Amino acid sequence: MNTPDHPFAAEAVTATDGTLRGELTGDLAWDSADELLDAVRTRLARVPGPSDVRLDCARMTLCDSMGLSALLALHRLVSAAGGRLHLDHRPAFLDRLLLLTGTYKHLTGLPGTAEPAGGIPTEGANGSRIPGS
């Protein structure tokens, strides 16, 4: 079995406003996707559960198809719990993946389409990328 170049880690705390804030570090891939899902699922099961889940993606180094699947599953779990998933400080490769797979608007709530030359959106005020800016 191959060891990832950048081991995955997820740190999370529930803020006083009820928001679950997490930081994703390393490769969100086939061997770490369940770790992320389990961690958030456990927090959502608490009463009261978090109102929103904010994941800081600035230190992610890779997101493969299983990582994307985990993000989509997280979106479903958080939405079903009455909250909203926020992917903050997304790296360019993550925006590119979301745009190319047609999941950008679904996971970010922002309009977006892939640019013809494979370009990525420009930076927004909070460090996330916003198409058409």
Side-chain angles (χ1 to χ4, degrees):
M1 174 162 57
N2 292 338
T3 304
D5 292 335
H6 305 96
F8 179 76
E11 300 291 329
V13 295
T14 302
T16 56
D17 67 356
T19 299
L20 176 61
R21 297 185 183 279
E23 181 179 357
L24 306 181
T25 303
D27 297 349
L28 180 55
W30 65 272
D31 58 343
S32 58
D34 286 340
E35 179 182 340
L36 175 60
L37 281 172
D38 291 342
V40 174
R41 190 178 291 123
T42 299
R43 300 271 181 142
L44 288 173
R46 294 181 182 164
V47 177
S51 56
D52 282 342
V53 176
R54 298 197 80 92
L55 298 178
D56 185 340
C57 302
R59 297 182 62 193
M60 280 179 66
T61 51
L62 177 129
C63 184
D64 71 3
S65 61
M66 285 300 293
L68 176 59
S69 178
L71 293 176
L72 290 166
L74 275 180
H75 184 274
R76 281 191 305 275
L77 288 170
V78 173
S79 295
R84 183 165 174 227
L85 177 65
H86 305 267
L87 302 177
D88 298 330
H89 306 112
R90 295 178 310 277
F93 73 83
L94 182 56
D95 272 353
R96 190 174 304 114
L97 175 66
L98 300 180
L99 287 166
L100 291 174
T101 58
T103 58
Y104 186 89
K105 183 175 181 181
H106 182 70
L107 289 175
T108 68
L110 301 170
T113 57
E115 296 176 5
I120 56 172
T122 57
E123 284 287 325
N126 70 350
S128 58
R129 301 194 172 315
I130 301 174
S133 305

